[in-house]
Amino acid sequence: MKTNQLFNDLTQIVGKKNIITNTENLKKYNNDWRGFYNNKSLCVVFPDNSNMIKKIVKYCCKKNIKIVPQGGNTSLTGASVPTYNDKEIIINFSKLNKILEIDKSNLTILVESGSILANIKEYLDKEDYYFPIDLSSSGSCMIGGNIATNAGGINALKYGSMKENIIGLEIVTGDGLVLSSLSKMKKNNTGYDLKSIICNSEGTLGLITKVLLKIFPKPHNNFTFFVAYKDLKTCIKSFNQIRELYYDKLESAELIPNLSFEICIKNNFLKKHFFEKKMPWYVIYRLNLYEDKTLFQDIFEKNFELINNNVNDILIPNSINQEKKIWKFRDDLVEAYKIEGKIVTNDISIPLDKMIDFFNIAKKNIKKINSKIKLHPFGHIGDGNIHYNMILPNDVSNGTYLKLRNKIYSYVNELVEEFGGSFSAEHGIGQIKKNSLLKFKSKNEIDIMKKLKKVFDPKNILNPGKIFDA
Ligand SMILES: Cc1cc2nc3c(=O)[nH]c(=O)nc-3n(C[C@H](O)[C@H](O)[C@H](O)COP(=O)(O)OP(=O)(O)OC[C@H]3O[C@@H](n4cnc5c(N)ncnc54)[C@H](O)[C@@H]3O)c2cc1C
């Protein structure tokens, strides 16, 4: 099909203001966050209502035109950008961004799928309600993207991932059917749970247009504390003790190696270290409180002797400002680390009781691959999800870097599998982990996934080349 004809037809559906065809202006949408992928799309369209989306999909299905659904384009796996050159259009959801209804009686909020996560959280905060999913990318990622990736983030420890926080969805399938399941009932066992299949499908089964989310009364206070540990064994022991003591309150537990401070200071994200005496490991904890903070602080101090043995130093922020600085440091970590250049990122999960063995074996063998590699594992220790990242020496050539990166990916994934973990805990598969999926999932699982894909998207027009080649 001629591209001019395509542009004219799409313009008829979305209007002149809602389409970009200029090569230069398309770059922003074609390139992924990490800068690994830059295939060219044919154009980007910005529908501003569900009906437009249905029309675009029906049109593309008829003409066999491939679609890349795109939210905030913060995917770390190349899932939100084209797989091929000049073959796909991008549907960007940023104009489908209305907050439609908050229901305080049933504790739900209905939003359009292009709503930015931070905007939903801010809106609820003003109403004294809370939506717990929180990522360092919250200011740019969109709720549809969060669902399509089953995003996890720093609060999954208490509230689960995205999947646990959705009540209903409206989607458009690959042949333009609208499936709307927006009942507010949390107990609703009526046939297959289609929303669970859409969650984590990375835009390959349907386009999410509306989302009904679970909300919570806003915690009256938060209590953050930052603990320094002399080694990983003590750190995990201490985490277990803190979890036992404050199980119902513990929202986040974020592992930070000392190298994180150095990276943030070097790249101007942090002025100085939070602790005077440096230790190899730290964990930032946050508790949600529905009781009075001063009363809780007394309890915390009384309980402190129960955890003191394993704690080398502790920082309890003395102001909201200091608390914000601590969490900003955690948020900035991904950006600061990206600047380091030749990096390797692994988004893995490991059972907590096996974490120390995993770290020891992985470190020994990665140093054998290249002794100058700096390990930088950090992240959501509370649910075993570690970003097992590393920085390669800057003097390796680009070619060597790519070879080493692949070697490290394979090695880490194999080891994770041996330890009964997951090679992709929260970022998904996208383009970057397709080979690992084929390697580690059984043939039966892959076959069923491919059959599902055929049912939802018979012509394979939705996000082709993501998760697997259909
Ligand atoms: C600094 C930084 C920190 C991050 N931290 C975390 C973290 O802690 N936890 C975590 O889980 N992830 C994290 N991520 C990854 C990323 O932010 C999440 O995967 C996020 O959920 C993606 O949302 P998005 O709107 O940017 O989606 P995009 O990147 O645009 O798309 C992601 C996938 O969703 C699909 N998609 C998007 N919108 C729709 C829709 N409406 N319908 C159907 N499919 C759609 C796309 O096709 C693609 O497959 C981080 C990323 C960055 C850059």
Side-chain angles (χ1 to χ4, degrees):
M1 179 184 197
K2 294 250 165 52
T3 44
N4 274 349
Q5 181 66 50
L6 170 72
F7 298 161
N8 285 341
D9 292 345
L10 287 173
T11 306
Q12 289 286 321
I13 301 174
V14 297
K16 258 191 196 156
K17 278 189 190 155
N18 292 332
I19 181 163
I20 294 179
T21 57
N22 173 296
T23 318
E24 202 47 41
N25 296 343
L26 286 176
K27 279 188 184 156
K28 175 178 162 200
Y29 304 93
N30 293 339
N31 299 346
D32 74 311
W33 191 84
R34 284 216 169 109
F36 288 176
Y37 300 96
N38 53 15
N39 288 315
K40 294 190 190 93
S41 61
L42 294 163
C43 64
V44 188
V45 288
F46 301 85
D48 58 17
N49 63 64
S50 306
N51 201 30
M52 259 184 199
I53 293 178
K54 186 175 131 185
K55 282 187 186 159
I56 301 168
V57 175
K58 284 214 155 173
Y59 171 82
C60 289
C61 183
K62 195 166 153 200
K63 306 279 179 187
N64 203 10
I65 290 158
K66 314 286 183 198
I67 295 171
V68 182
Q70 186 177 78
N73 197 13
T74 65
S75 164
L76 298 175
T77 63
S80 51
V81 290
T83 313
Y84 312 103
N85 259 322
D86 296 323
K87 286 213 158 35
E88 295 144 282
I89 68 160
I90 294 175
I91 297 187
N92 182 291
F93 283 84
S94 55
K95 291 197 176 171
L96 196 75
N97 59 14
K98 287 195 270 307
I99 292 184
L100 299 170
E101 186 202 35
I102 175 169
D103 181 337
K104 296 180 182 176
S105 167
N106 291 299
L107 293 177
T108 62
I109 187 165
L110 181 65
V111 298
E112 289 183 331
S113 63
S115 304
I116 289 185
L117 177 58
N119 293 352
I120 300 173
K121 290 170 75 71
E122 256 173 57
Y123 172 86
L124 285 168
D125 190 65
K126 285 185 191 138
E127 298 284 331
D128 274 337
Y129 284 84
Y130 184 56
F131 182 66
I133 298 294
D134 196 0
L135 324 175
S136 302
S137 55
S138 293
S140 340
C141 64
M142 297 173 193
I143 199 73
N146 301 145
I147 292 168
T149 54
N150 188 24
I154 60 173
N155 299 336
L157 173 60
K158 177 168 166 60
Y159 296 96
S161 298
M162 205 52 233
K163 183 168 45 149
E164 281 83 30
N165 291 284
I166 312 166
I167 300 175
L169 289 182
E170 179 186 273
I171 65 154
V172 180
T173 63
D175 46 0
L177 273 184
V178 176
L179 301 183
S180 185
S181 170
L182 295 171
S183 157
K184 289 176 184 169
M185 294 300 95
K186 285 169 194 145
K187 297 186 96 173
N188 182 6
N189 289 349
T190 47
Y192 299 143
D193 186 15
L194 297 178
K195 70 178 184 308
S196 294
I197 294 168
I198 296 304
C199 189
N200 206 24
S201 65
E202 302 188 21
T204 62
L205 299 181
L207 303 188
I208 301 159
T209 48
K210 283 191 190 125
V211 180
L212 187 70
L213 299 169
K214 202 193 267 184
I215 59 173
F216 299 81
K218 184 165 103 182
H220 301 169
N221 284 297
N222 287 317
F223 185 76
T224 292
F225 54 106
F226 203 165
V227 182
Y229 296 108
K230 66 175 193 283
D231 55 41
L232 193 62
K233 195 171 166 197
T234 325
C235 168
I236 290 176
K237 230 176 169 181
S238 171
F239 165 75
N240 281 326
Q241 289 175 327
I242 289 167
R243 186 174 55 179
E244 288 253 316
L245 276 173
Y246 304 114
Y247 185 77
D248 59 328
K249 298 178 173 57
L250 184 57
E251 180 180 48
S252 325
E254 292 294 300
L255 180 74
I256 309 279
N258 191 53
L259 183 60
S260 297
F261 297 98
E262 288 174 24
I263 291 172
C264 283
I265 291 169
K266 182 176 150 208
N267 295 314
N268 297 321
F269 285 87
L270 185 69
K271 282 209 176 102
K272 63 181 196 84
H273 206 297
F274 284 98
F275 291 83
E276 281 190 359
K277 190 167 173 216
K278 290 177 188 164
M279 287 285 156
W281 297 102
Y282 301 82
V283 174
I284 315 175
Y285 295 92
R286 183 166 59 209
L287 310 179
N288 287 163
L289 304 181
Y290 285 91
E291 66 260 53
D292 181 89
K293 193 167 180 173
T294 328
L295 289 180
F296 176 77
Q297 214 145 346
D298 290 344
I299 297 172
F300 187 82
E301 274 162 31
K302 274 187 204 131
N303 279 343
F304 191 67
E305 64 188 58
L306 299 173
I307 57 169
N308 189 21
N309 275 354
N310 295 315
V311 165
N312 284 85
D313 200 355
I314 182 164
L315 169 68
I316 300 177
N318 53 19
S319 64
I320 293 185
N321 213 11
Q322 196 181 21
E323 183 174 352
K324 278 189 183 155
K325 267 191 194 154
I326 292 173
W327 285 107
K328 184 169 181 322
F329 156 68
R330 168 61 189 90
D331 269 353
D332 287 342
L333 200 46
V334 188
E335 289 268 2
Y337 165 72
K338 186 180 162 192
I339 299 174
E340 289 294 303
K342 297 196 170 111
I343 55 177
V344 182
T345 55
N346 293 285
D347 165 42
I348 59 170
S349 56
I350 294 287
L352 207 55
D353 56 321
K354 297 188 175 144
M355 191 80 80
I356 295 165
D357 287 345
F358 174 86
F359 270 51
N360 288 339
I361 297 174
K363 183 176 174 180
K364 198 172 94 196
N365 289 322
I366 283 162
K367 290 283 179 186
K368 275 187 200 158
I369 295 177
N370 184 316
S371 62
K372 288 190 196 154
I373 291 175
K374 285 190 198 165
L375 294 172
H376 183 232
F378 69 93
H380 322 304
I381 189 148
D383 49 33
N385 176 194
I386 298 294
H387 300 306
Y388 195 76
N389 294 354
M390 48 204 93
I391 303 164
L392 268 53
N394 247 333
D395 56 5
V396 299
S397 68
N398 285 346
T400 311
Y401 162 59
L402 292 178
K403 273 190 205 144
L404 282 177
R405 198 174 77 184
N406 287 341
K407 196 168 176 182
I408 293 167
Y409 282 152
S410 309
Y411 169 68
V412 171
N413 290 349
E414 291 274 359
L415 192 65
V416 166
E417 194 63 15
E418 270 175 42
F419 275 81
S422 166
F423 67 88
S424 187
E426 61 176 9
H427 296 159
I429 303 298
Q431 303 188 54
I432 207 163
K433 295 183 195 164
K434 283 197 291 186
N435 290 341
S436 303
L437 187 86
L438 287 180
K439 189 164 176 189
F440 297 115
K441 284 271 174 197
S442 67
K443 183 179 174 304
N444 288 352
E445 284 168 296
I446 300 277
D447 283 351
I448 287 277
M449 286 194 218
K450 288 192 171 172
K451 281 179 188 158
L452 266 175
K453 168 77 175 163
K454 269 229 150 73
V455 172
F456 278 87
D457 180 25
K459 284 205 175 167
N460 186 27
I461 61 164
L462 297 184
N463 223 4
K466 310 295 167 22
I467 306 183
F468 46 71
D469 294 313

